[in-house]
Amino acid sequence: MKAAAQPIIVVRRKKAAHKHHGGAWKVAYADFVTAMMAFFLVMWLAAQDSRIRSAVAGYFQQPGLLPHEQSNGIMESGRGGIDAQGAGVLQRMPSGTVEAEQAALTSAAEHIRTVLGTGEFTALREQIELSVTAEGLRIELVERNGSSFFDSGSAVLRGESVRILSIIAHEIGGLPNDVVIEGHTDSAPYTRGEKYGNWELSADRANAARRVMETQGLHAGQTKAVRGFADTDLRFKDQPLDARNRRVSIVVRSQVAAALETAVREGQTPAPPPVKERTVFDPPASAGR
């Protein structure tokens, strides 16, 4: 007699769905990638020329110095931005150019300060401020209540103003740098009608300074721009009527900064210039600052 047939047993297992693990791993992975990118960036910077490292440091110290918002790149790129050797504008500058230029501007500022320190200019010398930055040499002729470089509400130079501008022009006329002259007013409304206001006054005062300086020492073509800002760039923003907001600024532009600005205007994306510690020639305490 044959044995009874063995029954066939079919086991059906139900597959349980995997539990959702969340997205925490994505955050951790992103942090890891960011850290690695920062690490390699630091390693790359450490291997670069000292001028490139200075340029990077300068950008984070004064990012708004030049209109280079088109790119935060360190090296130039784009239309004519890199030469055959891959060097940008900054790298093409002769070694020591930045240092030599700042030394020349500082020397000019010190000489102007020395000459204006004589007894001949007692009335207005305390209202002249000089500073050397990456922008170049900035000379500020700052108004005060009761002591002004111009007649009230006009662009007519008064007192020692012409002589002071002549000394400044004679000193900076021997430099190869471009000059930009700016005029500023306070926020007090101009009272001589609607056809003439702070815009016209600030531009006229800057032009008055230009005319004197061009006849007293600036070489041909040295003046590159005359700008009137009215009260859009107040020195004391919390005190818009303060007399010290009224000023004429003479900017002897750094050649390095000017070259970079030209490169930006032509469609390149150069590195910002290296920024050194600001050298300030402060006026005496009695100047009211």
Side-chain angles (χ1 to χ4, degrees):
M1 180 176 178
K2 293 184 178 181
Q6 186 72 22
I8 298 174
I9 301 175
V10 178
V11 178
R12 300 184 183 276
R13 295 186 174 90
K14 291 185 179 180
K15 294 184 178 181
H18 291 289
K19 294 183 178 179
H20 181 63
H21 296 288
W25 68 273
K26 298 179 184 178
V27 177
Y29 180 71
D31 290 343
F32 170 76
V33 172
T34 302
M36 291 301 296
M37 181 179 65
F39 171 75
F40 285 114
L41 179 60
V42 170
M43 295 298 291
W44 176 80
L45 286 174
Q48 298 305 307
D49 184 89
S50 60
R51 286 173 293 175
I52 296 180
R53 295 198 298 270
S54 297
V56 175
Y59 173 79
F60 286 104
Q61 291 176 26
Q62 279 186 285
L65 183 63
L66 289 173
H68 54 265
E69 288 83 3
Q70 296 178 22
S71 171
N72 292 338
I74 297 167
M75 298 294 290
E76 291 186 317
S77 62
R79 192 176 51 185
I82 299 178
D83 58 20
Q85 288 73 37
V89 170
L90 187 62
Q91 285 67 50
R92 288 198 298 269
M93 299 301 293
S95 179
T97 295
V98 177
E99 293 77 7
E101 182 180 60
Q102 285 207 336
L105 295 178
T106 300
S107 176
E110 290 174 344
H111 190 259
I112 293 172
R113 173 61 68 190
T114 299
V115 175
L116 295 179
T118 63
E120 181 183 356
F121 303 102
T122 54
L124 294 172
R125 67 186 181 191
E126 295 181 353
Q127 296 166 233
I128 303 169
E129 302 176 5
L130 301 97
S131 60
V132 178
T133 68
E135 176 189 30
L137 168 60
R138 176 173 282 270
I139 305 169
E140 299 268 15
L141 278 59
V142 183
E143 305 273 285
R144 283 170 50 186
N145 286 327
S147 181
S148 175
F149 293 91
F150 296 89
D151 285 342
S152 178
S154 80
V156 178
L157 289 160
R158 60 185 300 184
E160 304 166 348
S161 304
V162 173
R163 177 66 178 146
I164 289 172
L165 288 170
S166 299
I167 290 173
I168 294 172
H170 178 75
E171 184 64 33
I172 66 179
L175 298 172
N177 307 71
D178 297 339
V179 173
V180 173
I181 305 174
E182 304 170 351
H184 304 267
T185 69
D186 58 22
S187 293
Y190 200 79
T191 57
R192 294 189 182 179
E194 297 180 356
K195 295 184 178 180
Y196 194 93
N198 285 334
W199 285 107
E200 290 78 11
L201 180 62
S202 61
D204 286 349
R205 286 185 169 181
N207 252 322
R210 175 194 60 80
R211 286 191 290 270
V212 171
M213 295 178 69
E214 286 186 340
T215 59
Q216 297 298 321
L218 294 187
H219 57 77
Q222 190 171 11
T223 303
K224 291 301 180 184
V226 176
R227 301 166 178 165
F229 286 89
D231 61 343
T232 60
D233 187 19
L234 295 173
R235 185 171 185 174
F236 299 94
K237 300 187 186 307
D238 58 336
Q239 304 175 58
L241 300 181
D242 193 305
R244 291 170 295 174
N245 288 313
R246 304 194 300 267
R247 64 200 190 277
V248 169
S249 304
I250 302 162
V251 183
V252 185
R253 296 201 305 169
S254 162
Q255 288 182 298
V256 177
L260 292 171
E261 184 175 339
T262 299
V264 170
R265 189 164 54 245
E266 293 177 352
Q268 302 173 17
T269 53
V275 180
K276 290 197 171 184
E277 182 178 354
R278 178 171 177 161
T279 304
V280 179
F281 300 83
D282 286 321
S286 60
R289 284 192 65 187

